[in-house]
Amino acid sequence: MSDEIVFYHNPRSRAQMVHWMLEELGGVPYRTVILDMEKQEHKTPEFLAINPMGKLPTLVHDGVVITETAAIITYLADTFPQAGLAPLPGDPRRGTYLRWLFFGAGCFEPALLDAMFKRPPVERKGALGYGSYEDTIGALKKMLVPGPYILGDQFSAVDIYVGSELSWGAKFGAPGLDEPIFKDYLARITSRLAYKTTSGT
Ligand SMILES: N[C@@H](CCC(=O)N[C@@H](CS)C(=O)NCC(=O)O)C(=O)O
């Protein structure tokens, strides 16, 4: 079994977040396999045998398949601690770090998609894990205080994940993301070299 990292990628997908993360690791080697989604290369029997959802990003490391963008980013940050992108278990910042990673995946992403697709509000908002788009935006504003990063002074993998979601939402004109608190944060994180070198690639 190889300890190679294989990164199944398409630049026009959530895989862009993992690409940014891989570059932030600062020299960990990985092999990129671009799948052309227009040609349905993510739905071939070979790829479905790796990820039955037929979705990107997908990572294989040490023969283990990891899917779900937030899980991949969390996995890479923990597996390569020398990059300093995650507070490790025992560090008091670990709780805040995990909190916002899970919030990004479980709350903000579905809320953002509601806003993007203009899905009508449901009657029993309290039964939705994320309440409403507006609720998530309110929580994210609090997350960025005092800043400058989600963990305060330390840039970490959670900025890559939640920051990418915010950036994607802002590009598509999602409500509220043009406020200075988000604009300033996005300008800060997207000025990083690893972001610039992976953006759109
Ligand atoms: N829950 C997954 C979602 C991945 C996902 O939906 N990826 C899209 C691209 S952004 C995809 O591969 N779509 C192709 C398809 O479902 O046919 C994650 O967070 O990684």
Side-chain angles (χ1 to χ4, degrees), residues 10 12-15 17-18 37 40 42-43 47 51 53-58 67-72 105 109 161 165:
N10 183 291
R12 298 187 62 182
S13 79
R14 290 167 175 84
M17 305 189 207
V18 170
M37 304 211 307
Q40 297 292 299
H42 56 311
K43 302 295 180 189
F47 186 66
N51 180 356
M53 291 291 284
K55 282 185 175 287
L56 301 171
T58 294
T67 67
E68 307 315 308
T69 308
I72 295 171
E109 181 180 298
Y161 184 62
E165 291 182 319

Side-chain angles (χ1 to χ4, degrees), residues 31-123:
R31 178 162 65 89
T32 302
V33 179
I34 304 248
L35 297 183
D36 186 333
M37 304 211 307
E38 279 176 22
K39 292 186 185 155
Q40 297 292 299
E41 287 177 356
H42 56 311
K43 302 295 180 189
T44 62
E46 293 76 18
F47 186 66
L48 290 173
I50 298 169
N51 180 356
M53 291 291 284
K55 282 185 175 287
L56 301 171
T58 294
L59 200 85
V60 182
H61 182 215
D62 261 335
V64 176
V65 176
I66 308 134
T67 67
E68 307 315 308
T69 308
I72 295 171
I73 286 175
T74 308
Y75 172 85
L76 289 171
D78 287 351
T79 304
F80 300 98
Q82 65 275 18
L85 290 169
L88 299 175
D91 185 318
R93 293 167 302 172
R94 180 84 177 171
T96 305
Y97 170 78
L98 290 176
R99 173 188 177 188
W100 294 113
L101 271 170
F102 278 67
F103 186 87
C107 297
F108 187 46
E109 181 180 298
L112 187 55
L113 292 172
D114 277 355
M116 304 306 301
F117 294 137
K118 300 193 176 11
R119 289 198 283 234
V122 297
E123 275 175 28

Side-chain angles (χ1 to χ4, degrees), residues 96-192:
T96 305
Y97 170 78
L98 290 176
R99 173 188 177 188
W100 294 113
L101 271 170
F102 278 67
F103 186 87
C107 297
F108 187 46
E109 181 180 298
L112 187 55
L113 292 172
D114 277 355
M116 304 306 301
F117 294 137
K118 300 193 176 11
R119 289 198 283 234
V122 297
E123 275 175 28
R124 291 178 57 229
K125 166 183 152 177
L128 287 183
Y130 56 92
S132 69
Y133 175 76
E134 290 71 24
D135 291 345
T136 63
I137 291 295
L140 290 169
K141 275 193 213 167
K142 293 210 163 76
M143 171 193 78
L144 291 177
V145 176
Y149 301 111
I150 297 174
L151 295 182
D153 286 337
Q154 186 194 352
F155 175 83
S156 71
V158 70
D159 292 295
I160 296 174
Y161 184 62
V162 177
S164 294
E165 291 182 319
L166 286 167
S167 167
W168 184 75
K171 270 184 204 145
F172 284 92
L177 297 183
D178 53 355
E179 289 191 32
I181 188 165
F182 293 120
K183 282 176 96 165
D184 294 350
Y185 172 69
L186 288 175
R188 197 172 303 128
I189 61 169
T190 58
S191 68
R192 297 179 67 84

